[in-house]
Amino acid sequence: MLIRVRSKDGNFRFELSPDADVMQLFQKILETTSDADEQSFTISNQPRGNEAQLLSLKGRSIQSLGLNHGDLVFVQYKSKESDTSTTSQSTSNAPATSSLVGNSTIRPWETVNEDAVDTFWRSQDGKIARQRDLQFCKHGPKGMCDYCMSLEPYDAVHHAKNGIKHLSYHAYLRKLTPKTSSDAAAALPPLNPLDYRVKAPCPTGNHPAWPAGICTGCQPSAITLQSQPFRMVDHLEIASQDIIERFLQAWRRTGLQRFGWLIGHYEPYDKVPMGIKAVVEAIHEPPQEGELDGLTLGLPWEDEPRIRALAGQSSPPLTIVGYIFTDLDPSEEDRTKNVYKRHPQSFLMSSLEAIFAATMQRANPTSSKSSPTGQFSSRLVTAILTATEDGLVDVTAYQVSEQASAMVEADMIEASVDPTIVRVKEEDRSAESARYVPDVFFSYKNEYGLEVKKSAKPAFPVEYLMVNVTHGFPQNPSPIFQSIQFSIENRPGLEDQTIETVLSQLSSLGAPDIVESKRSQPGEAYKTLELAKWLSDWHLIAFLGTTQLFSPDDMKVLIRTVSSPTLLEDSSQLDPLLATEGWQTLMTFTRESAPRSAPAQSNTMDDSIPQDILDQIAAEEAASQGTTPAVKTCPHCTFENDASRSDCDKTGLFAWARHFKKLWRKKYLYRSAEVCLSDPAELTNAPPRVPLSDWKQYAYYSHPRVNNVEVCNLSPGPNLSVPLDLEEMFEYLRSPGGTSYPDRWIRGQKHSALPPKPQRWKKPDHRKELPFPKECTLNPFLVQSTLNPGFTAVYWHVRDPLSSICLNLQDVVLPLNQADLAQPATYPFLTHMYISGFAFSADWSKEYSLPWPIVIENKEGILCDDVFHGIRENFHEFVRNSEYEQWLPETKEWALKAYAVRPKWTRDDIFLRRSDYLAANTMFRGLKPNLPSNQGWVLLLGPDNSFPL
């Protein structure tokens, strides 16, 4: 083969065999020189940079270096009378390796440990599979042609068709890597990290080092800024929305901006050919001082080595994949919304933020076998929490280009007062702060659509340094850490991390009594899983590492255990942690710090009973002794009843008062906190008449309070093979720390202290026909007043969630609780309700056909909650285009006005909903039978006077 050589002696051509030793080439080069120092010879495939000592290649063949017929190499050397130390310093200051380095012991890219995602993509072909084209493919099912053959991962047509702006990192490598043998590919790393600094000392050795002298051999070339064709990370995925919400809590409570490091890992991303996504599992907040319009950080971060080591021990290993900060400014007109200040017409990333990102990326390089230095660029992502056009909070993600990092390293650029531009610094030849700034250009399209190159001095747009990164949340979140309830670090005065808090929570969870799964009692697995879920908290783990209670080995067991993907599937997952010495030490402290129970006294039981219940018990005892008061006051609604009545005319609860004292003696607690409604005659308009107390009695039966926890006790309950211990179930409703767990109550229980099912409310008989609507009595919550049609017992917008339903009182906001919503909707019980029409307050008698009929079903009997839920879900649906096109012009106009002023709390609220069809008539005014058809019900709606239409 023919090898071309260029040196300071001229250009030469040598005929060599592909298997010839490099030393044969060296001897031919020596023949063209005079007085050359053999130890100083360097060879490279580039005019400047990437030089390698030629003698270090001894024993390798020409072909093994990746050289082909006609290739040009560049040779440099020093004369014998020159100072050889200069050459030695030059080669040591230059990049240590090149594409021709052959000594395997000093090639750093071969010893690099890449990330698992890089190892995965290097083992894949990465080609884009295509299906057989039915129109153009003429071959059989097992054939292949140009229309269906797989595409390369860097195919430009595929990227343009799918809106992919940047190549992925590994697709870019495939584009650069030549289609040669594996040996040649290993010897020629395709990437070359950018370096815009002056080489000191100069490789030629002909002048003093910068700033005393400079030449074309040591000065950097001119820079042309251009959009980076690839990106190191293609997507940023937040494992759970709760991570962002927890991070935002500090800003919401103080108004000060916050900063946090993103702890996560990298995974393949299937939306981009050979793509990579950064998955964020936690946000660790370093020490900082937040301000209204910025923040101050302490760098370098003192605790960073410990946090990196701790994250690397999890399962799977985690690392710092980026950082996040807030830039939120509440609007003066509406403090619930934020100022929309980051947009294409303003800026997306300020010049100061871009320079900070470049500094951080330079400090966190990516290990790569495709770079001669073993490192290339960075995967550190910059995430910003900022306002959207609607005033809501959203995440944006960016990186800066390799050019930006190299310019910051060379101290060439600085931030500007204008956030949209970056300033280029002036050249400085002083010995203390020498700075060489080459010519910098950027290109743009002028007003005529022509590509124009312009000098970047003194400033250029920051967009030339940015690389966009998409972001999102998974459809089925499965975060590594199951809890985010523990206090977050470095929030002094807002959230404090203390060992006392940890010990108190462990005591409330019963952690000292939890043993290994093989020694645990049946039925205690849920306690172990609750403890495991609480321990699976990054902030808790990071805090425990500072308490000195766990040894380094125990900390490894702790984080590997609580970060296991199957932690909550098997209670035995916690066994390795329970066996560690650090855990036993922590449990000892937990037992010692547990509060001592006070000795029982005879009057402690009565002290915990509310006074109104004691008054009722005293009244009953007085009555039994012959002292008969004139009236009986209901302890629940304060209604004064006739003394001869056995129960309250309003609530029907006198009969249950006698059970309370017995209930407390058994450590039960049952107290009704519902508010009794008044009983205006106009609330009922259809026979048979049902007293208000009957509606309330069913609510008390279905949702009693046990141990001061509201539970659902509707029958029938589940069929269990073993009998239940009500005493034990009662205790489990509350943890020792006071946390309530209503889901632990198994419905359908009967006890003398629990309200029985009222006799009026019979279970629906499915063999009988349903009564007509006019034959039913509506619940007072669903009835329109006959004397005042604009009045209903509840205040509710049909577009709002059920939690906003309140009693229609003048000066008090009293939301309906679960017991109120559990009242029957009708008497007798209905299993199906069909709302087919609606009417407005302008003319209640004029009924319209509902475009979206509402069907409500409950085979056990429809409750008020079912009715409200069915109405809300119906009007919360989106309006389809086909439906919208059928509306009248005036209907469209009113709907769009309603949409414009409707609060938009979530991202989905930007779409038109069915509630907008109602315009201002969104206030619930009750139901009435559809008398013209005698089938179904009519929904009555009134105007919202606060609605600005």
Side-chain angles (χ1 to χ4, degrees):
M1 64 169 64
L2 179 67
I3 300 297
R4 298 181 295 157
V5 177
R6 178 177 297 174
S7 68
K8 60 183 179 180
D9 298 311
N11 295 327
F12 305 95
R13 297 185 180 184
F14 302 114
E15 288 283 348
L16 295 168
S17 169
D19 299 330
D21 192 274
V22 175
M23 291 298 100
Q24 296 184 22
L25 175 62
F26 181 39
Q27 292 299 326
K28 291 182 178 292
I29 296 174
L30 283 176
E31 295 174 359
T32 64
T33 64
S34 60
D35 296 329
D37 183 5
E38 296 182 4
Q39 300 295 329
S40 66
F41 272 85
T42 61
I43 187 171
S44 174
N45 65 338
Q46 297 181 7
R48 289 189 299 274
N50 294 337
E51 294 88 356
Q53 291 289 340
L54 207 156
L55 290 178
S56 66
L57 305 178
K58 184 178 180 180
R60 299 195 62 182
S61 65
I62 300 295
Q63 189 177 32
S64 68
L65 297 180
L67 295 177
N68 297 315
H69 177 72
D71 284 353
L72 174 65
V73 295
F74 301 86
V75 175
Q76 296 181 9
Y77 65 91
K78 298 296 296 180
S79 300
K80 288 183 179 180
E81 45 280 352
S82 299
D83 186 6
T84 57
S85 61
T86 305
T87 304
S88 175
Q89 295 175 6
S90 172
T91 55
S92 63
N93 187 68
T97 61
S98 72
S99 59
L100 295 177
V101 173
N103 192 342
S104 59
T105 60
I106 62 172
R107 293 191 292 184
W109 68 87
E110 292 184 350
T111 60
V112 164
N113 292 323
E114 291 186 313
D115 193 273
V117 70
D118 295 309
T119 305
F120 170 79
W121 280 125
R122 289 189 185 278
S123 64
Q124 307 295 316
D125 62 6
K127 293 189 176 182
I128 306 168
R130 291 193 297 175
Q131 299 296 328
R132 184 173 180 270
D133 193 306
L134 299 178
Q135 182 178 1
F136 296 103
C137 292
K138 306 301 182 183
H139 51 76
K142 295 185 179 181
M144 183 177 292
C145 65
D146 291 341
Y147 297 104
C148 61
M149 67 182 299
S150 299
L151 301 175
E152 293 292 342
Y154 48 82
D155 185 77
V157 176
H158 175 81
H159 282 68
K161 181 179 178 181
N162 292 274
I164 304 173
K165 184 177 179 180
H166 300 276
L167 292 175
S168 66
Y169 167 65
H170 283 276
Y172 181 67
L173 288 181
R174 294 294 173 89
K175 185 177 182 180
L176 295 181
T177 304
K179 305 295 188 296
T180 57
S181 65
S182 58
D183 291 339
L188 290 169
L191 299 175
N192 287 309
L194 297 178
D195 191 352
Y196 295 147
R197 295 172 297 179
V198 177
K199 297 178 182 179
C202 179
T204 63
N206 295 330
H207 61 80
W210 168 263
I214 194 170
C215 69
T216 57
C218 59
Q219 72 178 19
S221 303
I223 303 171
T224 299
L225 298 174
Q226 55 187 350
S227 177
Q228 185 168 284
F230 67 95
R231 57 188 175 192
M232 300 297 293
V233 175
D234 302 283
H235 185 73
L236 178 68
E237 179 177 285
I238 314 295
S240 172
Q241 292 187 6
D242 294 336
I243 298 175
I244 297 297
E245 290 297 324
R246 191 75 173 87
F247 178 69
L248 277 173
Q249 282 183 5
W251 171 80
R252 289 188 173 124
R253 295 175 62 181
T254 64
L256 305 180
Q257 309 303 330
R258 296 296 296 176
F259 177 95
W261 295 102
L262 302 177
I263 309 295
H265 59 281
Y266 299 102
E267 293 181 359
Y269 182 53
D270 56 0
K271 303 298 182 183
V272 175
M274 304 189 77
I276 296 175
K277 67 178 178 181
V279 182
V280 178
E281 300 289 352
I283 299 178
H284 189 92
E285 300 183 18
Q288 57 192 282
E289 293 183 8
E291 301 175 11
L292 294 177
D293 57 349
L295 52 88
T296 303
L297 285 176
L299 293 176
W301 177 28
E302 183 179 355
D303 209 25
E304 180 179 1
R306 183 182 73 87
I307 295 301
R308 285 187 180 273
L310 183 65
Q313 295 167 359
S314 68
S315 177
L318 303 178
T319 185
I320 296 178
V321 299
Y323 61 89
I324 187 171
F325 61 89
T326 61
D327 184 19
L328 298 166
D329 185 12
S331 174
E332 294 183 0
E333 295 79 9
D334 186 356
R335 305 299 291 181
T336 63
K337 297 185 177 181
N338 299 285
V339 178
Y340 180 47
K341 55 184 178 182
R342 291 179 183 258
H343 50 82
Q345 285 69 41
S346 174
F347 71 98
L348 300 175
M349 191 180 192
S350 70
S351 56
L352 181 63
E353 294 163 356
I355 292 176
F356 178 77
T359 304
M360 291 297 100
Q361 288 183 202
R362 204 70 180 177
N364 295 270
T366 299
S367 300
S368 174
K369 293 183 177 181
S370 299
S371 172
T373 63
Q375 295 177 338
F376 182 76
S377 193
S378 174
R379 289 204 176 104
L380 201 72
V381 180
T382 299
I384 307 173
L385 283 168
T386 186
T388 63
E389 189 173 2
D390 300 324
L392 306 178
V393 180
D394 196 9
V395 182
T396 57
Y398 306 97
Q399 283 193 301
V400 293
S401 64
E402 179 72 0
Q403 284 186 323
S405 298
M407 294 175 77
V408 168
E409 185 181 33
D411 193 25
M412 293 171 49
I413 56 178
E414 62 184 354
S416 170
V417 176
D418 186 348
T420 62
I421 62 174
V422 181
R423 291 190 71 255
V424 179
K425 292 183 177 181
E426 299 291 336
E427 185 174 309
D428 187 358
R429 288 181 175 267
S430 61
E432 297 79 11
S433 58
R435 178 194 312 117
Y436 178 78
V437 181
D439 293 332
V440 183
F441 302 94
F442 70 94
S443 58
Y444 68 98
K445 287 187 178 181
N446 61 11
E447 61 272 21
Y448 305 107
L450 301 177
E451 195 79 17
V452 179
K453 182 177 287 189
K454 181 180 178 180
S455 174
K457 297 181 180 180
F460 62 90
V462 70
E463 286 82 3
Y464 283 88
L465 306 180
M466 294 170 54
V467 178
N468 293 332
V469 178
T470 62
H471 70 278
F473 299 90
Q475 293 182 351
N476 300 310
S478 57
I480 290 178
F481 301 106
Q482 306 297 326
S483 175
I484 54 172
Q485 301 304 317
F486 191 71
S487 300
I488 294 181
E489 59 282 342
N490 297 309
R491 290 186 178 182
L494 192 62
E495 297 183 27
D496 297 322
Q497 292 183 333
T498 61
I499 190 62
E500 290 79 8
T501 305
V502 176
L503 298 178
S504 175
Q505 188 63 33
L506 287 172
S507 178
S508 65
L509 291 170
D513 301 327
I514 295 177
V515 296
E516 297 179 2
S517 58
K518 59 184 178 182
R519 296 193 292 119
S520 62
Q521 298 297 324
E524 293 185 353
Y526 77 94
K527 291 185 178 181
T528 306
L529 295 180
E530 283 186 1
L531 175 63
K533 182 177 181 180
W534 183 77
L535 288 174
S536 184
D537 189 317
W538 165 259
H539 306 288
L540 173 62
I541 300 168
F543 171 71
L544 290 177
T546 65
T547 61
Q548 306 301 321
L549 294 175
F550 288 82
S551 66
D553 292 337
D554 290 348
M555 284 300 300
K556 291 181 182 180
V557 176
L558 171 62
I559 191 168
R560 287 177 183 173
T561 301
V562 301
S563 62
S564 172
T566 60
L567 176 65
L568 300 183
E569 298 177 5
D570 185 5
S571 59
S572 64
Q573 293 281 335
L574 214 58
D575 289 351
L577 174 62
L578 300 180
T580 60
E581 182 179 350
W583 178 259
Q584 298 300 327
T585 303
L586 184 62
M587 291 302 98
T588 302
F589 280 102
T590 303
R591 294 187 189 95
E592 293 296 327
S593 63
R596 300 292 189 268
S597 57
Q601 298 181 8
S602 58
N603 59 346
T604 23
M605 180 269 296
D606 289 340
D607 291 341
S608 62
I609 303 177
Q611 186 61 41
D612 53 1
I613 302 301
L614 293 175
D615 293 342
Q616 178 61 31
I617 295 173
E620 289 193 354
E621 291 176 351
S624 64
Q625 297 173 4
T627 305
T628 305
V631 295
K632 283 185 179 180
T633 303
C634 178
H636 302 278
C637 66
T638 69
F639 185 82
E640 294 183 351
N641 299 270
D642 185 79
S644 61
R645 290 191 56 87
S646 61
D647 56 2
C648 177
D649 185 57
K650 301 303 177 186
T651 63
L653 290 179
F654 269 24
W656 304 110
R658 65 177 61 95
H659 294 287
F660 277 108
K661 199 162 187 177
K662 184 186 299 182
L663 204 60
W664 259 284
R665 289 194 182 102
K666 294 183 178 181
K667 297 183 180 180
Y668 281 74
L669 180 58
Y670 166 70
R671 181 183 179 187
S672 173
E674 291 77 9
V675 176
C676 181
L677 293 173
S678 59
D679 191 9
E682 68 270 11
L683 286 181
T684 55
N685 60 358
R689 185 180 184 276
V690 179
L692 285 175
S693 59
D694 288 6
W695 302 102
K696 297 288 286 184
Q697 280 181 352
Y698 188 86
Y700 296 140
Y701 149 73
S702 62
H703 284 71
R705 280 187 174 271
V706 181
N707 199 0
N708 204 22
V709 178
E710 186 176 288
V711 298
C712 178
N713 198 41
L714 282 171
S715 297
N719 294 323
L720 301 177
S721 57
V722 294
L724 287 175
D725 187 345
L726 293 182
E727 294 275 355
E728 183 179 1
M729 186 165 60
F730 167 83
E731 294 292 342
Y732 284 160
L733 287 178
R734 280 192 174 277
S735 67
T739 306
S740 60
Y741 297 94
D743 294 339
R744 294 179 179 175
W745 181 267
I746 300 178
R747 50 188 273 179
Q749 303 304 315
K750 295 181 180 180
H751 191 272
S752 59
L754 293 173
K757 185 174 182 180
Q759 295 299 319
R760 176 186 290 274
W761 306 103
K762 306 295 183 182
K763 184 177 180 180
D765 190 347
H766 301 282
R767 296 170 297 179
K768 297 181 180 179
E769 294 184 357
L770 292 175
F772 288 106
K774 65 180 181 180
E775 300 173 345
C776 298
T777 301
L778 278 172
N779 187 286
F781 290 143
L782 307 177
V783 175
Q784 181 190 36
S785 172
T786 56
L787 300 179
N788 182 10
F791 173 83
T792 48
V794 296
Y795 180 90
W796 177 49
H797 292 274
V798 297
R799 66 170 183 267
D800 293 341
L802 271 60
S803 58
S804 65
I805 304 178
C806 301
L807 293 176
N808 200 355
L809 306 175
Q810 289 186 351
D811 301 323
V812 181
V813 177
L814 194 61
L816 266 63
N817 55 28
Q818 288 299 319
D820 294 326
L821 294 174
Q823 294 185 23
T826 63
Y827 176 78
F829 263 133
L830 293 179
T831 57
H832 294 75
M833 290 184 70
Y834 179 67
I835 303 177
S836 57
F838 64 105
F840 297 129
S841 59
D843 187 356
W844 296 115
S845 62
K846 190 173 183 179
E847 301 174 0
Y848 302 91
S849 177
L850 189 62
W852 309 282
I854 306 172
V855 179
I856 303 168
E857 299 182 12
N858 188 340
K859 64 179 182 179
E860 301 296 334
I862 295 176
L863 307 178
C864 290
D865 181 74
D866 300 322
V867 176
F868 291 134
H869 184 80
I871 295 173
R872 200 266 175 171
E873 289 299 315
N874 182 75
F875 287 105
H876 197 64
E877 291 288 333
F878 298 123
V879 176
R880 299 180 179 179
N881 290 332
S882 57
E883 297 173 342
Y884 179 78
E885 295 301 330
Q886 296 177 2
W887 292 356
L888 296 175
E890 55 270 21
T891 303
K892 293 181 181 179
E893 180 182 359
W894 281 104
L896 293 177
K897 288 182 178 180
Y899 164 79
V901 300
R902 166 168 54 83
K904 300 173 179 63
W905 303 111
T906 64
R907 186 175 298 179
D908 290 340
D909 286 336
I910 63 175
F911 301 105
L912 200 67
R913 297 190 185 274
R914 292 177 180 178
S915 58
D916 299 322
Y917 176 84
L918 305 175
N921 297 291
T922 58
M923 294 299 299
F924 178 76
R925 290 290 182 257
L927 297 173
K928 70 174 184 178
N930 194 341
L931 296 178
S933 63
N934 203 25
Q935 294 182 354
W937 301 83
V938 177
L939 175 63
L940 305 178
L941 299 167
D944 176 12
N945 296 328
S946 64
F947 217 56
L949 286 179

